[in-house]
Amino acid sequence: MKAIALTGHRILKKNFDYFLLEEKLKNLIDIGYTKFYCGMAIGFDMTCAGLLLRLKKRNTIELIACIPCKKQEEKYTYYDKILYYNYLKKFDKVIYIEENFTKSCMFKRNRFLVDNSDLVFAYLYKERGGTYYTVEYAKKREKKIEYF
């Protein structure tokens, strides 16, 4: 079972193409990736989660939420919280890296994503932040990286 770690920025650029992303995810499924690890952060993660749940209706895939700590969603907007809770109910598995928030829980989650995947699928447009850290870690671990 080939696994993918999803990582991307929280802010999606104005020209972000949701249809192209869905097509890209479908292509990854078609070439044999069936396990998807998702950090469930606002932005790219949640966008992928919604699209993968739709693709799951027609494909045999496993969706695993890798959450840095319980109450990650505490500061999400009302709308994002509703999406978050609805998505989690439909995922195959939910993993909490830490019980409570710590300074390192996000980094531990990102390393977990990479360490458990064959491919890192990244939406990266700036050289700072969690996504950049995750991609750099994936390079050190010699993981295959595909950019969106």
Side-chain angles (χ1 to χ4, degrees), residues 11 33 68-69 82 140:
I11 297 172
Y33 289 96
C69 62
I82 290 171
K140 289 178 189 159

Short mmCIF file of all heavy atoms in Angstrom, two decimals, residues 11 33 68-69 82 140:
data_model
loop_
_atom_site.label_atom_id
_atom_site.label_comp_id
_atom_site.label_asym_id
_atom_site.label_seq_id
_atom_site.Cartn_x
_atom_site.Cartn_y
_atom_site.Cartn_z
N ILE A 11 -2.78 29.49 3.55
CA ILE A 11 -3.39 30.46 2.65
C ILE A 11 -3.20 29.97 1.22
O ILE A 11 -2.08 29.73 0.77
CB ILE A 11 -2.78 31.86 2.85
CG1 ILE A 11 -3.08 32.36 4.26
CG2 ILE A 11 -3.30 32.84 1.80
CD1 ILE A 11 -2.37 33.63 4.65
N TYR A 33 -1.42 5.02 -5.32
CA TYR A 33 -1.38 5.56 -3.96
C TYR A 33 -2.76 5.41 -3.34
O TYR A 33 -3.73 5.92 -3.88
CB TYR A 33 -0.93 7.02 -3.96
CG TYR A 33 0.53 7.15 -4.29
CD1 TYR A 33 0.96 7.42 -5.60
CD2 TYR A 33 1.51 6.98 -3.31
CE1 TYR A 33 2.31 7.51 -5.91
CE2 TYR A 33 2.86 7.08 -3.62
CZ TYR A 33 3.25 7.34 -4.91
OH TYR A 33 4.58 7.43 -5.22
N PRO A 68 -1.82 17.26 15.34
CA PRO A 68 -0.72 17.52 16.27
C PRO A 68 -1.12 17.41 17.74
O PRO A 68 -0.34 16.95 18.57
CB PRO A 68 -0.25 18.93 15.92
CG PRO A 68 -1.33 19.52 15.11
CD PRO A 68 -2.09 18.41 14.49
N CYS A 69 -2.35 17.84 18.08
CA CYS A 69 -2.83 17.76 19.45
C CYS A 69 -4.35 17.89 19.45
O CYS A 69 -4.94 18.40 18.50
CB CYS A 69 -2.21 18.87 20.31
SG CYS A 69 -2.64 20.53 19.73
N ILE A 82 -16.93 23.26 11.58
CA ILE A 82 -17.97 22.35 11.08
C ILE A 82 -17.37 21.41 10.03
O ILE A 82 -17.59 20.19 10.08
CB ILE A 82 -19.17 23.13 10.51
CG1 ILE A 82 -19.93 23.81 11.65
CG2 ILE A 82 -20.10 22.22 9.71
CD1 ILE A 82 -20.99 24.77 11.20
N LYS A 140 15.69 15.45 3.42
CA LYS A 140 16.71 14.80 4.26
C LYS A 140 16.44 13.31 4.40
O LYS A 140 17.37 12.51 4.49
CB LYS A 140 16.77 15.45 5.64
CG LYS A 140 17.36 16.83 5.64
CD LYS A 140 17.34 17.45 7.02
CE LYS A 140 17.74 18.91 6.93
NZ LYS A 140 17.29 19.69 8.06
#
